Amino acid sequence: MRVFKFGGASVKDAAGIKNVYSVLQTAGYEDVLLVVSAMGKTTNALELVIKNYFDKSPELQSSVQEIKKYHNEILLDLFEDEKNEVFAAVNAQFAELEYFLAHNKSPNYNFVYDQIVSYGELISTTVLSHFMNFMGIKTQWLDVRNFVKTDSNYRDAEVDWELTQQNISKNVKRKILNITQGFLGSDENNFTTTLGREGSDYTAAIFAYCLNAESVTIWKDVPGVMNADPRYFENASLLNQISYREAIELAFYGATVIHPKTLQPLQKKEIPLYVKSFINPLLPGTSVSKGATLEPYMPCFIVKRNQLLLSLSSIDFSFIMEEHISEIFGLFHEYKLKVNLIQNSAISFSVCIEDKFDNFKDVNAILSKKFKVDFTEHVTLYTIRHFDEKAAHTVEENKTVILKQVSTETMQIITQES
Ligand code: ASP
Ligand code: MG
């Protein structure tokens, strides 16, 4: 069996959905499982609904209507005839969402988030499945919540592999086109959970692992994995082959093409992952598999903006040692600050951190009681895997470098954002 993942950008409008059909014509669709994300920016739009719901905002209704309108336009474009049963099916899902908004009693933000945000994927897969049937491809629509079981850590749920494996082995039919939702799961009480933003790649890997799939293909609007983000670097070029190990390293340093959790299950069973263009499905794209580290071998650049460089030194010139460091990391963990680089000397300790949840001020207040704290906000962290002199120069040219760290394979440079 093969697992295909189509992300939001690939199904953002009627043309995109028609294109999924033509990709399937080219790539084949027998013995395939499709994992699909919410259409376009629907997840963000649903996040706004959730915000409006908790803020008791008068915009709540209109934010829901906006999403309905967007989907309805796509439906009209795809099916024309409003008697097609897809209209009723999608309406029923919106009705469920509205029922939830009207009747929910839970004040738990993360719980409510997952119950609401899941409609993006439930609806996109409903549309896609009806469209494939309409075009003459028989499909099996699977509610992923009956397969991927998780704990109740809403918005970042942990997969229960044993239960998930059982469900998938028992109930996924082969020899047919299966369509299911990325990103979602359910807990022991059958409440909807999610695996973290951009989690659909991970869903594809979960199914591939449990099905012993022959491969996973992530269909994207780029030709494959590039050695640099073309938005920041001229002459970005395509990587043909990456080993699992190297791909995990790249994801760890922040390459966003592949969701980091995706690679481990695939590596365990040596299932190859292909990243291919949904615009040119015949091109080979990138393969992540057992094999060459990197082909062609070249420096790879990863950029992380809006980082914070924090330096701590002891007030009394004492060493910063194990107990301090574990305490500091405990705080980072508790306040969800992500550490992207560490550098320490005897009496000082520097980290480059990402403060996604705006918690740094609280951490700063705590640390300031024990350490001398210096920090610079809005710095950029560049990571160069397989660096050479020219690559380093590309990054450093015309920038103010404030920290640099070099190991055998990796160079990291922090610059002041201009
Ligand atoms: N729709 C979800 C998101 O945008 C999951 C995904 O796209 O992978 O985060
Ligand atoms: Mg998405």
Side-chain angles (χ1 to χ4, degrees), residues 5 37-38 43 121 183 197-201:
K5 184 258 177 173
S37 304
T43 305
E121 270 72 14
F183 179 49
R197 283 300 308 261
E198 308 303 329
S200 295
D201 290 1

Side-chain angles (χ1 to χ4, degrees), residues 164-392:
T164 302
Q165 175 71 71
Q166 280 171 20
N167 294 336
I168 292 178
S169 314
K170 252 197 271 158
N171 296 320
V172 174
K173 287 203 202 98
R174 305 206 173 221
K175 298 272 167 253
I176 188 167
L177 177 63
N178 293 280
I179 299 188
T180 199
Q181 306 77 40
F183 179 49
L184 317 181
S186 72
D187 66 9
E188 62 175 343
N189 296 314
N190 291 330
F191 285 116
T192 305
T193 57
T194 62
L195 307 173
R197 283 300 308 261
E198 308 303 329
S200 295
D201 290 1
Y202 185 42
T203 306
I206 296 167
F207 274 94
Y209 181 91
C210 295
L211 290 164
N212 293 315
E214 90 186 51
S215 63
V216 173
T217 307
I218 299 181
W219 297 96
K220 294 190 80 86
D221 54 0
V222 290
V225 181
M226 315 289 280
N227 78 322
D229 185 334
R231 284 173 303 177
Y232 305 124
F233 292 89
E234 292 166 27
N235 315 321
S237 39
L238 181 71
L239 303 168
N240 303 320
Q241 152 70 27
I242 313 173
S243 67
Y244 293 111
R245 166 89 205 268
E246 181 62 19
I248 289 168
E249 294 279 357
L250 291 170
F252 169 79
Y253 287 111
T256 49
V257 244
I258 303 164
H259 189 278
K261 273 192 195 164
T262 306
L263 294 156
Q264 271 96 355
L266 298 180
Q267 178 190 27
K268 269 197 210 149
K269 290 204 174 168
E270 293 185 1
I271 298 168
L273 170 74
Y274 303 115
V275 181
K276 285 166 73 110
S277 157
F278 61 66
I279 302 154
N280 292 306
L282 288 172
L283 294 180
T286 302
S287 127
V288 179
S289 60
K290 207 178 143 197
T293 303
L294 204 57
E295 199 279 307
Y297 192 84
M298 63 172 98
C300 296
F301 299 85
I302 301 144
V303 185
K304 282 182 157 267
R305 300 191 152 234
N306 207 10
Q307 307 285 299
L308 192 146
L309 180 63
L310 169 71
S311 296
L312 303 175
S313 33
S314 49
I315 295 169
D316 53 3
F317 283 94
S318 64
F319 294 155
I320 295 203
M321 288 306 283
E322 287 82 352
E323 53 163 308
H324 287 131
I325 291 179
S326 82
E327 186 188 336
I328 296 166
F329 272 86
L331 272 177
F332 292 162
H333 180 70
E334 189 184 334
Y335 285 86
K336 296 196 175 120
L337 298 177
K338 188 166 178 290
V339 177
N340 289 323
L341 176 150
I342 306 165
Q343 183 148 301
N344 68 323
S345 74
I347 56 163
S348 89
F349 177 75
S350 301
V351 278
C352 180
I353 52 185
E354 203 167 309
D355 182 20
K356 262 201 205 144
F357 300 94
D358 234 353
N359 287 334
F360 178 68
K361 43 185 184 328
D362 298 337
V363 173
N364 188 16
I366 301 169
L367 289 172
S368 298
K369 291 186 192 138
K370 280 207 171 162
F371 304 98
K372 182 173 168 307
V373 180
D374 288 298
F375 64 91
T376 318
E377 287 177 293
H378 310 300
V379 301
T380 302
L381 171 65
Y382 292 89
T383 302
I384 317 174
R385 290 278 297 163
H386 317 291
F387 62 92
D388 56 22
E389 227 171 275
K390 188 165 157 251

